[in-house]
Amino acid sequence: MEKDLINKDRQNIWHPFTPLRGQADPILIDKAKGVYLFREDGTKIMDAVSSWWVNIHGHGNEHIAKAVGQQALDMEHIIFAGFTHKQAIKLSENLLSVLPENQEKIFFSDNGSTSVEVAIKMAFQYWHNKETPKKKIIAIEGAYHGDTFGSMSVGSRGSFNIPFEPFLFDVEFIDFPTEGNKSEVLAHFQKLVGTGEIAAFIFEPLVQGSAGMRMYSVDILQELVKTANEANVVCIADEVMTGFGRTGKFFATDHLNIPPDIFCLSKGLTGGNMPMGITTVKGEIVKAFDTDDIYKTFFHGHSYTGNPIACAAANASFELTQKPEFMANIQRVSENHSRFKGEIEGHNKIKEIRQTGTIIAIELDLGTTSYMNKSRNQIYNHFLTRGILLRPLGNVLYILPPYVITDEQLNKVYGAIIEYLDELN
Ligand SMILES: Cc1ncc(COP(=O)(O)O)c(C=O)c1O
């Protein structure tokens, strides 16, 4: 039975980020609850990566499931131009209540890439509408902002987008900031914004996810945002991965004392239940679109913009984020990670271990650090056979769990990692 289904899958389905050859069969999952994914035969796999970083309250959350079910019965979807609905309005109020005060409007789309696409288009059109068009964007080397052409353009050039490189627009990349190169990076950034040609600066705050959970300091980001602000460059915080508690605060940019101008949100937004992207924008940018000139309209939208079921999931998830146990769990997971970091730091098979909030990354000493590092499959399979889903980025192993993971479950993952490290010797 399971074999038949897998055969059909292999015949019909093209999976994301997956070569068509040389891969193990996909694993059929029938049910998911809490941190576990269940196979047909009842065996379980612990989801220690929150199913591509989306799941924050655990799988099968009943509060969200009920809200989704009710909304599906009440109204599944309506056109969002010329019409609106209560769930979207409620979500706008919810998000604006936790975003910095400068944020004024929210714009809906379907995923993280589209939330970035919208942000970039808004930034370019903001300058166009002000009749001082600017053509350049600054991004950070190593960045990943999604897979549409705009979001690929502001991402690092590399293995993911070689075939598309000739079609990506030019972007100014600054080096990934470290304590060692801080002053050079800032000087380069200052020079770029000083040209007056820069429309926007886009960044993954504090943690570059796909680049291998690379982390940089609050101080450096603060300096960059401050410099951009002073030069009137629009700051776009791509909080697609870092939003909703990942880095220990509700938004990663809450660690700064200057708010960005635009936020990109997705992943944890619906608690990992429904696809949705949101771009939020500060008042001054909105103002440039608020005119009688029809040509200054933001002509962008998707068929499923503002989908009521996705909004209901996001509202139900938001309610859970407002309970005291939400931030308490984030704190607990972060503390567990710190303790574990202290325990294994210095292991001879670790190049570097780093942590920001609920994310801990272990860069293994298994050759050159890269997404394409060949040890990836071996590491992935090693943990899967032990009932743990850890999906390394090349030789970078990381844990990014749903916040409801218990101490005992975390200890099981830590224990398996220690065992693996020792086996490498
Ligand atoms: C920081 C960041 N931005 C954007 C995206 C793209 O999101 P999506 O996969 O939902 O299009 C991702 C996905 O991993 C991401 O980590």
Side-chain angles (χ1 to χ4, degrees):
M1 176 67 178
E2 181 167 333
K3 194 68 205 156
D4 285 350
L5 288 170
I6 296 299
N7 286 341
K8 279 186 192 151
D9 176 288
R10 293 215 78 135
Q11 212 175 334
N12 300 349
I13 299 177
W14 199 332
H15 286 266
F17 279 100
T18 309
L20 291 180
R21 278 200 182 189
Q23 297 295 302
D25 285 340
I27 297 167
L28 187 70
I29 297 298
D30 248 13
K31 203 176 156 62
K33 192 76 190 163
V35 295
Y36 290 111
L37 314 178
F38 292 91
R39 302 179 70 159
E40 223 178 18
D41 64 5
T43 50
K44 57 186 185 182
I45 299 171
M46 198 196 295
D47 184 357
V49 293
S50 300
S51 278
W52 254 342
W53 321 340
V54 301
N55 193 293
I56 55 177
H57 311 293
H59 293 276
N61 182 281
E62 284 177 21
H63 179 65
I64 301 174
K66 278 187 191 140
V68 165
Q70 189 57 52
Q71 188 57 46
L73 291 169
D74 290 347
M75 177 174 69
E76 78 303 335
H77 185 65
I78 56 157
I79 180 171
F80 205 59
F83 291 81
T84 193
H85 54 83
K86 288 179 188 156
Q87 291 286 2
I89 295 164
K90 188 168 158 198
L91 184 56
S92 69
E93 286 183 312
N94 282 341
L95 291 176
L96 290 172
S97 76
V98 291
L99 282 160
E101 263 177 22
N102 71 342
Q103 297 300 293
E104 194 173 291
K105 276 200 190 290
I106 79 167
F107 191 95
F108 291 94
S109 63
D110 303 338
N111 53 63
S113 304
T114 54
S115 75
V116 169
E117 202 72 30
V118 166
I120 299 168
K121 286 179 71 174
M122 276 182 178
F124 278 136
Q125 193 177 338
Y126 164 69
W127 292 109
H128 172 90
N129 284 3
K130 279 167 64 98
E131 290 162 23
T132 48
K134 294 180 196 276
K135 290 190 174 159
K136 287 191 174 161
I137 291 195
I138 303 176
I140 301 179
E141 178 268 316
Y144 175 76
H145 294 288
D147 292 339
T148 52
F149 270 90
S151 59
M152 272 196 295
S153 294
V154 292
S156 225
R157 306 297 183 260
S159 36
F160 290 1
N161 51 34
I162 293 164
F164 315 112
E165 257 198 70
F167 315 110
L168 305 182
F169 59 76
D170 276 345
V171 164
E172 299 285 352
F173 286 98
I174 53 167
D175 284 345
F176 182 80
T178 61
E179 287 309 315
N181 70 5
K182 184 176 163 175
S183 40
E184 288 88 344
V185 169
L186 274 172
H188 183 206
F189 191 77
Q190 240 145 9
K191 194 167 162 216
L192 289 170
V193 299
T195 61
E197 292 174 2
I198 307 294
F201 165 46
I202 184 164
F203 54 92
E204 293 158 90
L206 307 185
V207 188
Q208 277 190 336
S210 296
M213 299 296 159
R214 289 206 292 180
M215 300 173 187
Y216 61 108
S217 76
V218 171
D219 287 355
I220 296 177
L221 183 56
Q222 175 95 2
E223 280 295 314
L224 292 169
V225 173
K226 187 164 154 267
T227 308
N229 262 7
E230 283 163 6
N232 256 332
V233 165
V234 175
C235 283
I236 304 172
D238 177 352
E239 294 246 17
V240 166
M241 181 194 73
T242 53
F244 304 95
R246 263 304 150 211
T247 67
K249 294 212 183 223
F250 203 85
F251 296 113
T253 45
D254 291 344
H255 292 275
L256 312 180
N257 60 27
I258 317 172
D261 304 312
I262 294 183
F263 282 75
C264 304
L265 306 174
S266 189
K267 294 198 187 272
L269 170 63
T270 64
N273 286 254
M274 293 289 295
M276 172 173 263
I278 280 183
T279 311
T280 78
V281 196
K282 78 166 178 184
E284 194 196 318
I285 296 176
V286 175
K287 230 188 274 164
F289 294 78
D290 190 5
T291 134
D292 291 327
D293 183 349
I294 182 93
Y295 293 100
K296 291 189 174 173
T297 306
F298 188 56
F299 286 112
H300 183 111
H302 304 278
S303 314
Y304 285 97
T305 295
N307 174 258
I309 302 176
C311 287
N315 281 322
S317 174
F318 184 84
E319 280 157 19
L320 298 177
T321 67
Q322 298 307 292
K323 292 187 187 276
E325 56 265 33
F326 179 74
M327 287 315 287
N329 274 334
I330 288 168
Q331 179 74 15
R332 181 181 54 80
V333 171
S334 307
E335 283 166 8
N336 272 297
H337 279 353
S338 305
R339 206 174 316 117
F340 175 57
K341 179 170 177 272
E343 237 175 86
I344 61 166
E345 214 150 29
H347 191 286
N348 67 335
K349 287 292 168 195
I350 298 179
K351 261 191 210 166
E352 191 183 75
I353 178 160
R354 41 189 183 260
Q355 184 215 348
T356 302
T358 68
I359 309 168
I360 185 164
I362 302 158
E363 196 170 318
L364 295 164
D365 195 4
L366 294 172
T368 308
T369 296
S370 149
Y371 184 85
M372 295 300 175
N373 185 301
K374 292 253 171 18
S375 59
R376 184 258 175 219
N377 284 357
Q378 187 270 326
I379 308 170
Y380 177 73
N381 290 328
H382 174 94
F383 287 99
L384 257 191
T385 54
R386 283 153 183 82
I388 302 170
L389 170 56
L390 286 170
R391 207 172 180 278
L393 296 153
N395 56 317
V396 178
L397 183 61
Y398 67 90
I399 316 173
L400 192 152
Y403 311 141
V404 293
I405 193 166
T406 63
D407 291 355
E408 198 187 347
Q409 289 161 342
L410 270 175
N411 284 334
K412 184 177 168 194
V413 184
Y414 298 153
I417 292 177
I418 291 174
E419 221 174 82
Y420 175 70
L421 287 169
D422 291 344
E423 273 175 34
L424 285 177
N425 274 319

